[in-house]
Amino acid sequence: MEFYPSIEKSNLPEIKQFQDKKLQELLIYLEKNSPFYQRLFKENNISSGDIQSLEDLRKIPTTSKNDLQQHNHDFFCIPPGEIVDYSTTSGTLGDPVTFGLSDKDLERLAYNEAISFACAGVQKGDVVQMITTIDKRFMAGLAYFLGLRKMGASVVRMGPGIPELQWDSIFRYKPKYLITVPSFLLKMIDYAEKNGIDYKNSSVYGAVCIGESIKNQDFTDNILSQKIKEKWSIKLFSTYASTEMSTAFTECEFQVGGHQHPELIITEILDDNENPVQEGESGELTITTLDVEAIPLLRFKTGDIVKAHYEPCQCGRNTMRLGPVIGRKQQMIKYKGTTLYPPAMNDILNDFNNLQCYQIVIQSNEIGLDEIIIKISTDSESEDFVSEVRDHFRAKLRVSPKIEIVEFETLSKVVHNPNSRKPITFIDMR
């Protein structure tokens, strides 16, 4: 298997010609197999033959997460009997969006992660400790495992949390790389310092950081990255991906943005009017997946505001690179590696009859990460009520936010502000 695809070091006209051909193959496939895109093409008088190049993409309406939520099953291009794995991602309207993967899709996922890890310097024979879940219909953990296995690395599947066990595993199996949410590294460092662990002389060379940004827009270390490196001199590599993309943008050794894999994904950066932004400007990342069998996506708006970088990289790749996510559309929240939306949290809280009042507060913590505080008033006398709310969040959204009990009289005055026409159940303080 080629872990350093030649197409990524081809010149720009060759990359474009390659993607033009891949796009036409995708359109023919969608026209034949996708109920959703068949309907979209018919409603807009579009034929696969009308789209000959990447520039022609703008003739096709974009797809949103709302479309996925409302027409989930219409996106499937293969019968249920050919689905090998089911994954889910959070939806804008509360219920998760289901993604199915065929056997071919799992192979593609493994290929994507293998070449992405290779981009970050992971090699055959390296030991890699996964500090991330591989269960609960979470695609990323499965992808990491499949990719590392395909490239011949050894995997230590530790799962998230419990610094004591992470350190025990590190000194037992001597991993060279960790895969983790970067803020957890601070907890590991804190535990090591309090318990006399000589972490600075461990086997760990670097960490592939998921779910949280570790860079500023100029690719310098942000506050989180600085805090880690002040204590622990290891390499930190950014990676950006999503369930919908089934593709990762991972930094190489020069750490100036995540490299696009042109054989797996087409990217557009669009402004609010869905026109391509000028080079150097930020916009919403819009993607088209290539060689996905079960649920391919065409011009899917991710909701993430990013800036693309096109100058050749010192590593020899000529592919586009994505900078750190600048912001989120429509109050999208990134929390511990999971994308959340306020309506989904509202639906969870509304499941509880004992809640008299609630308010969701989003703020930035001291290291610049999104933090969720849920203030609740309840007439429940159960001592386990807060745990029940937290467990419900964990089950539905795979996150556990901070929950505060507030007296009803106090909280209700804030939520039911006489100057507001609607209850103020969500406050964004970022």
Side-chain angles (χ1 to χ4, degrees), residues 212-224:
E212 297 168 346
S213 177
I214 56 171
K215 294 289 177 65
N216 298 313
Q217 287 302 310
D218 61 358
F219 300 118
T220 57
D221 291 336
N222 65 11
I223 295 173
L224 173 58

Side-chain angles (χ1 to χ4, degrees), residues 12 82 101 115 120 166 186 198 219 231 278 280 296 320 323 393:
L12 295 182
E82 295 180 24
L101 291 92
I115 61 176
Q166 302 293 348
L186 292 176
D198 188 13
F219 300 118
K231 297 280 190 176
Q278 296 295 315
M320 181 274 285
F393 266 89

Side-chain angles (χ1 to χ4, degrees), residues 306-361:
V306 298
K307 186 182 295 184
H309 299 263
Y310 298 96
E311 63 276 8
C313 183
Q314 293 181 64
C315 71
R317 293 177 178 84
N318 293 315
T319 48
M320 181 274 285
R321 290 168 288 111
L322 282 184
V325 173
I326 296 170
R328 291 86 168 169
K329 279 264 191 174
Q330 299 174 339
Q331 298 180 328
M332 183 189 289
I333 303 156
K334 288 280 190 180
Y335 186 67
K336 295 185 178 179
T338 299
T339 302
L340 301 176
Y341 295 85
M345 291 188 281
N346 290 338
D347 287 348
I348 288 173
L349 291 166
N350 289 334
D351 278 347
F352 291 91
N353 296 325
N354 297 111
L355 271 186
Q356 298 172 300
C357 196
Y358 70 83
Q359 187 175 71
I360 302 164
V361 180

Side-chain angles (χ1 to χ4, degrees), residues 19-34 37 41 48 57 60 77 264 266 287-293 295-299:
Q19 288 208 311
D20 284 345
K21 182 174 181 295
K22 283 284 189 182
L23 174 61
Q24 290 171 37
E25 292 173 359
L26 169 66
L27 291 167
I28 292 170
Y29 181 79
L30 292 174
E31 208 168 38
K32 181 179 179 182
N33 299 290
S34 172
Y37 286 110
F41 292 169
S48 59
L57 268 174
I60 303 171
C77 292
L264 299 179
I266 293 169
I287 57 94
T288 296
T289 55
L290 300 174
D291 285 338
V292 171
E293 198 169 52
I295 304 186
L297 294 175
L298 178 64
R299 302 201 80 204

Side-chain angles (χ1 to χ4, degrees), residues 2-20 22 111 115 260-264 290 316-320:
E2 185 186 16
F3 294 127
Y4 303 94
S6 58
I7 187 63
E8 299 188 5
K9 295 190 176 182
S10 300
N11 61 45
L12 295 182
E14 288 173 335
I15 292 174
K16 183 185 180 305
Q17 184 179 21
F18 173 87
Q19 288 208 311
D20 284 345
K22 283 284 189 182
Y111 169 79
I115 61 176
Q260 176 192 11
H261 301 309
E263 70 272 41
L264 299 179
L290 300 174
R317 293 177 178 84
N318 293 315
T319 48
M320 181 274 285

Side-chain angles (χ1 to χ4, degrees), residues 45-62:
N45 297 315
I46 295 169
S47 165
S48 59
D50 298 333
I51 313 300
Q52 295 294 317
S53 67
L54 301 184
E55 289 80 8
D56 292 335
L57 268 174
R58 66 190 70 179
K59 298 177 182 178
I60 303 171
T62 57

Side-chain angles (χ1 to χ4, degrees), residues 298-427:
L298 178 64
R299 302 201 80 204
F300 175 77
K301 297 196 295 183
T302 65
D304 287 330
I305 306 302
V306 298
K307 186 182 295 184
H309 299 263
Y310 298 96
E311 63 276 8
C313 183
Q314 293 181 64
C315 71
R317 293 177 178 84
N318 293 315
T319 48
M320 181 274 285
R321 290 168 288 111
L322 282 184
V325 173
I326 296 170
R328 291 86 168 169
K329 279 264 191 174
Q330 299 174 339
Q331 298 180 328
M332 183 189 289
I333 303 156
K334 288 280 190 180
Y335 186 67
K336 295 185 178 179
T338 299
T339 302
L340 301 176
Y341 295 85
M345 291 188 281
N346 290 338
D347 287 348
I348 288 173
L349 291 166
N350 289 334
D351 278 347
F352 291 91
N353 296 325
N354 297 111
L355 271 186
Q356 298 172 300
C357 196
Y358 70 83
Q359 187 175 71
I360 302 164
V361 180
I362 311 298
Q363 61 186 32
S364 297
N365 62 18
E366 64 274 10
I367 55 176
L369 301 179
D370 291 350
E371 184 174 70
I372 302 173
I373 301 171
I374 301 191
K375 300 180 179 182
I376 62 174
S377 298
T378 177
D379 57 7
S380 172
E381 296 179 2
S382 170
E383 295 180 358
D384 297 326
F385 183 73
V386 169
S387 296
E388 291 173 13
V389 175
R390 189 176 289 115
D391 288 345
H392 199 43
F393 266 89
R394 206 178 279 125
K396 289 286 189 179
L397 298 179
R398 295 195 297 263
V399 300
S400 180
K402 182 179 179 181
I403 298 174
E404 295 179 0
I405 298 287
V406 181
E407 288 290 333
F408 176 73
E409 289 185 6
T410 302
L411 186 57
S412 63
K413 290 178 181 177
V414 179
V415 174
H416 301 286
N417 190 311
N419 295 323
S420 175
R421 291 180 300 162
K422 298 179 181 179
I424 305 172
T425 58
F426 179 80
I427 296 179

